[in-house]
Amino acid sequence: MVFWTGGIVVVAAFAIAAIIVVSRPWAWSGTLKAAEYSQSQAVPGFDDTTHDVTDRADLTVLQRVLHDDGWHPGDTEHAASGCAGGIATHLRLTLTDGTKTKLTTYLCGGDNDALAKDITQIVSAWRTGTFIGSK
């Protein structure tokens, strides 16, 4: 009886692991069709308007960051809450299959979150017109 129960537990564990691997690959490797972005920060005169990106080179850099930093469609929040003086970045991504997903990151002073840092860097460069096309 103990052997049979242990076997069920092992089979169940493998089944759950297989479902996780199949339903959530380790890195997103899709293609973006477009991105809409805005940023906000509690700073007087901060430009928080929404902008669109459809340039292939810009989207390719964003895709690489999303892939390299382990993002998956459906991950809508990264670094779950803001902080005083932090910068919030809001993305609405259109994937090539037409689906849309949102991603919000918050970058606070001492954050070590690679995705929040990289997304903030790219979008800040887009927003200020200093984007040079590479990470």
Side-chain angles (χ1 to χ4, degrees):
M1 178 70 170
V2 172
F3 177 74
W4 186 74
T5 305
I8 290 174
V9 170
V10 169
V11 169
F14 277 114
I16 290 169
I19 289 170
I20 291 170
V21 168
V22 170
S23 66
R24 186 171 172 89
W26 297 113
W28 178 71
S29 59
T31 304
L32 294 174
K33 185 176 181 180
E36 182 180 284
Y37 69 87
S38 67
Q39 289 183 312
S40 57
Q41 187 175 26
V43 174
F46 190 87
D47 178 12
D48 63 355
T49 56
T50 300
H51 303 274
D52 294 317
V53 176
T54 56
D55 180 75
R56 178 65 10 225
D58 292 351
L59 293 172
T60 299
V61 171
L62 180 57
Q63 284 170 200
R64 188 180 74 233
V65 165
L66 292 171
H67 176 269
D68 291 352
D69 290 346
W71 177 82
H72 301 276
D75 290 350
T76 59
E77 293 274 339
H78 214 267
S81 63
C83 65
I87 187 166
T89 301
H90 308 278
L91 288 169
R92 182 173 178 176
L93 306 170
T94 304
L95 310 180
T96 53
D97 66 1
T99 60
K100 295 185 183 209
T101 187
K102 294 179 182 180
L103 172 62
T104 299
T105 63
Y106 300 95
L107 186 64
C108 295
D111 272 345
N112 290 321
D113 183 312
L115 181 61
K117 282 181 180 180
D118 293 341
I119 294 295
T120 301
Q121 178 184 359
I122 289 170
V123 173
S124 293
W126 286 344
R127 184 179 51 77
T128 60
T130 59
F131 185 71
I132 58 171
S134 65
K135 182 176 166 188

